[in-house]
Amino acid sequence: MTELIYRCNENDIWTGQAKAPSVPRATYGMMQKMRAAVSHKYGHDHKLGTQPWSEYPTVAGKHIGNPSLSVTVSQYMVSLRQRKVQSGKAVTSARAMDEATMKHLWDFTWATPQKEYGPTSRKWEAENPAEWAGFVICMMLLLLYLVSMICLLHYDEALQITWADVTIQVQPADFHVKLKLPFRKTHQYGGIAPFYVYPDEEHPWMCLVHMFAVWWVLARERCENLDGFVFQKKIGTDSISVNPTDGMTSDSFLKCFHNNLLDIRVDPRPYGTHSFRWGGCQFLYKVCRWDFWNICDWGGWAENIDNPGTIFKYLLSWNDNPWEQ
């Protein structure tokens, strides 16, 4: 761990002097990944498990557990995060999207008029930054937010969804959406169970079924045969590509998401593509009153239910304001 600490600190750990500007520093996020790799090495390869490093109760000088999970390392991680933030480094943990913000986005989308169809010039976009999107694009984005949030998906999992993966059951007595993911990071060897999502009449701004139906109608107006990506490439201010294989990219999604937050006067800087998975976990627990077991199963964490660290990390992020939750 000494090498990892040396790469993160602003000062040389041997001399105590400040490092030269040319010396690269590792970010807090990189430190988290390196610590996770070291923890896995000790726990999996050296069979030391996931228990914190501590002195053996009956033998002085002998220790048990995972050294990477020691109290000393944990305290260092807390102080490192504080020092990185105080020095002006970028926020490393995405703020969770909450229901109130989703309602603002939902209200804004339905109040947004449709814009002129077709591409626009870069000069026009630079001169009219507030006109970045119209009703069609905002509606597609709202569905993307909801499917990531309600189904606890990583953004790249949501972007890969095609219309072949979506079944809308329209019978009055059984109105729901069946969603089959083409891939999932938690199930890299298959065995992905489909999602069955039903209408949410109490929270219409969180109703994934209604949003799928609305976007299906809008997408059919632009492409009669829906056989490609659900979330397609943005063209101009308010149109999408007619090529079914032109999916929305990750960079385009993040840019549109931040513009959308600016529309409702929300600072986009604390938010990232992971905000919806975090926020969805909190929404299911705090608003829908799901228990831990159901959330873990729904989010693909069922195999790690014996280690509650993951689920608690999603339920309480240091970047969220607990008074606003």
Side-chain angles (χ1 to χ4, degrees):
M1 294 297 292
T2 303
E3 174 63 22
L4 306 184
I5 294 173
Y6 175 80
R7 294 178 60 184
C8 287
N9 281 5
E10 294 294 325
N11 295 336
D12 190 304
I13 62 175
W14 307 115
T15 66
Q17 302 297 317
K19 294 179 182 176
S22 59
V23 178
R25 280 83 157 168
T27 65
Y28 176 73
M30 180 60 68
M31 183 61 176
Q32 284 183 308
K33 294 177 182 178
M34 291 189 292
R35 184 193 184 193
V38 172
S39 299
H40 178 78
K41 181 69 175 180
Y42 279 122
H44 186 267
D45 295 353
H46 297 294
K47 311 298 182 184
L48 295 179
T50 58
Q51 297 299 316
W53 179 256
S54 60
E55 189 173 10
Y56 204 78
T58 58
V59 181
K62 183 178 180 180
H63 290 73
I64 57 174
N66 194 317
S68 183
L69 302 178
S70 67
V71 174
T72 302
V73 175
S74 298
Q75 290 174 339
Y76 171 78
M77 292 296 294
V78 173
S79 66
L80 176 64
R81 184 186 67 197
Q82 293 173 343
R83 284 184 279 116
K84 290 291 186 181
V85 172
Q86 290 172 356
S87 63
K89 298 298 187 296
V91 175
T92 58
S93 179
R95 176 174 295 174
M97 176 60 65
D98 58 11
E99 183 191 0
T101 305
M102 286 298 298
K103 186 177 186 304
H104 290 159
L105 289 169
W106 185 78
D107 290 335
F108 177 84
T109 297
W110 283 105
T112 301
Q114 291 196 26
K115 304 293 177 64
E116 183 178 353
Y117 183 84
T120 56
S121 66
R122 292 184 178 180
K123 179 181 178 181
W124 186 91
E125 291 178 355
E127 294 174 348
N128 301 274
E131 301 294 323
W132 67 276
F135 176 76
V136 174
I137 295 299
C138 288
M139 192 60 68
M140 179 179 71
L141 290 172
L142 192 59
L143 173 61
L144 181 51
Y145 304 157
L146 275 176
V147 74
S148 301
M149 194 168 177
I150 299 300
C151 297
L152 306 182
L153 303 182
H154 295 92
Y155 73 97
D156 50 350
E157 295 171 342
L159 289 174
Q160 293 297 317
I161 297 174
T162 67
W163 285 109
D165 305 318
V166 180
T167 302
I168 302 178
Q169 175 60 259
V170 295
Q171 294 183 8
D174 188 22
F175 186 36
H176 70 270
V177 167
K178 177 183 177 182
L179 175 61
K180 297 176 61 179
L181 294 182
F183 87 102
R184 198 170 192 187
K185 289 185 176 181
T186 54
H187 296 74
Q188 298 185 13
Y189 302 102
I192 307 174
F195 291 93
Y196 291 90
V197 186
Y198 293 85
D200 187 348
E201 297 180 357
E202 294 184 10
H203 312 91
W205 47 89
M206 300 296 294
C207 184
L208 182 57
V209 175
H210 179 248
M211 287 307 306
F212 258 119
V214 171
W215 180 239
W216 182 84
V217 173
L218 293 174
R220 281 289 301 271
E221 294 176 354
R222 285 145 185 80
C223 185
E224 184 176 351
N225 297 318
L226 299 180
D227 54 0
F229 289 111
V230 173
F231 307 107
Q232 294 184 260
K233 180 180 179 180
K234 176 178 177 286
I235 303 294
T237 58
D238 203 27
S239 56
I240 58 176
S241 174
V242 295
N243 184 345
T245 62
D246 280 345
M248 174 173 275
T249 65
S250 300
D251 290 341
S252 178
F253 166 50
L254 186 58
K255 181 179 179 181
C256 289
F257 173 41
H258 284 180
N259 284 336
N260 216 175
L261 290 175
L262 289 173
D263 287 334
I264 60 172
R265 302 181 183 278
V266 172
D267 184 359
R269 288 175 296 179
Y271 294 90
T273 53
H274 213 59
S275 295
F276 301 101
R277 186 167 161 89
W278 286 72
C281 188
Q282 296 181 11
F283 174 75
L284 294 177
Y285 176 69
K286 297 179 179 180
V287 180
C288 300
R289 300 299 181 183
W290 285 26
D291 58 33
F292 290 141
W293 291 91
N294 287 335
I295 295 176
C296 287
D297 184 50
W298 188 258
W301 300 303
E303 296 180 357
N304 299 318
I305 189 64
D306 292 335
N307 182 11
T310 299
I311 190 69
F312 285 121
K313 178 184 71 174
Y314 279 82
L315 289 176
L316 184 60
S317 166
W318 71 273
N319 195 28
D320 296 328
N321 184 350
W323 298 107
E324 294 178 356
Q325 300 298 327

